[in-house]
Amino acid sequence: MFRALPGVLARPSGAVRTCVLVALLSCVTLSGVAILELVREQTGTAGFFVGLGLALLPVAPLMAAFRWLGRAAPLPWSRLLFCAGWGACTAALIAIVANNFASEWMAAAATDPSAADRLGSVAVAPVVEESAKAAALLLVFTFRRRHFTGPADGLVLAGFTATGFAFTENILYLGNAFGEDLDSGTTVLDSTTAATFFVRIMLSPFAHPLFTALTGLGLGLAARSARRPVRTWLPPLGLGLAMGAHALWNSSSELGAYGFYVVYGCVMVPVFGALVGLAVRIRRGQLRAVARELRVYAGAGWLGAAEAAALASVPARALARALARSAGGRPAARAVAAYTADAAALALLRDGARSGGPRRVADFVDRERELLERLWRARASAGPVLARAAVMEELWAGPPGQVAHPPEAAAAAAAAAAATATAVAAPAAVPVPAPRRSGPCPGATPAGHASPRPYALPDGGGVR
């Protein structure tokens, strides 16, 4: 079975990906309608809206934190929103239906219904919920492999999926608690709603993201590894750890009066702290890889040294987008953002292939050429803004000079950097391609395309 796994996870054709995308979007939409109605029936209309309002509070901070983690090589919003929607709709619907069915079956088969409920909470719910959330990561891993290049992508996608799942689950828990308080007439401070809000929103909003992050980490490390056994066993190992952590968390209330506090303080918080430290380290490693690999392309003439410095700095990227927005509005800012995303993807593509990742030479060359062509066409527009951001952020001391190298200068730069480029090429036999003399260059685009123009900077001048 495991020998067939690489073939099953091979990159599908375009037609297959299109059909799967349509099916998945339909599945998420229908499951979203179903889960909303199911939760409203269980909580009541008043409880549903109260739970919805309270459950929304941690969503934005959590998504912002995971988005920050992925800023070195930002993933498309379409992938992030798909994962969040899958977690909030499809995974939540699967979990509710499967958990209810398992609870009813075990209650009918057991002599002690309370023991059956505990068993379902510890043994069934973690397996069902983590498998349902992991399905979103596996779908991206299979059908959008380009956007699953390492552990950082796995953590970000896992975080968005789990945040969506926790959002729906919190609506259910908080809505039911509010309904109980209405029936009993409990005051606000002594209410079940307040206690549920404190535990789920204030104390442990990171619980589901922490569990699913282990799955994402396993898939991300597998995507970077060149060793087949590692690629085969790391994803199920990550999923198993996620299920184990989830089961331990669910069983904490059964470990005595202080079981919850012991598990929370001695297990959850340290693991969460370790995972945060690992995530920050991974992010820094990504930025170092972007800086290292873009210097190679700058030496070959594809980028200016000032641009490469700005592209390796998240603050400089943000400043470049702000400069472009002030000069050309949101379209200009989006163009700069797309340019920086393509540059980061190019750098990480080369870094992953150079480190021996599971990419064939032909695939690497085609993808590299595609990204280089896009950067080359957009460089005349985005390059000056990035170069100025590098100067303003004091990342580049020398004068940026001309943003666009003429083909003769680019070819000379490529020849001068040939030895370095070949030494660090990924794979080693593939040097950095030079900008083609007859190909697209800044200010000269293919027929039928508008020539890109540099955005006028706020002071009306060029790069200084």
Side-chain angles (χ1 to χ4, degrees), residues 391-410:
V391 173
M392 295 175 68
E393 288 287 322
E394 299 182 353
L395 300 173
W396 178 248
Q402 295 295 327
V403 173
H405 293 286
E408 294 81 7

Side-chain angles (χ1 to χ4, degrees), residues 352-439:
R354 183 161 59 85
S355 64
R359 298 178 176 85
R360 292 179 298 178
V361 174
D363 294 337
F364 167 79
V365 172
D366 293 341
R367 177 62 172 161
E368 182 190 42
R369 173 59 63 180
E370 175 190 344
L371 289 169
L372 284 173
E373 293 291 346
R374 280 157 52 176
L375 290 172
W376 193 242
R377 287 193 295 267
R379 187 180 169 206
S381 299
V385 185
L386 284 161
R388 181 169 187 187
V391 173
M392 295 175 68
E393 288 287 322
E394 299 182 353
L395 300 173
W396 178 248
Q402 295 295 327
V403 173
H405 293 286
E408 294 81 7
T420 303
T422 305
V424 300
V430 182
V432 178
R436 295 178 299 178
R437 186 182 299 269
S438 59

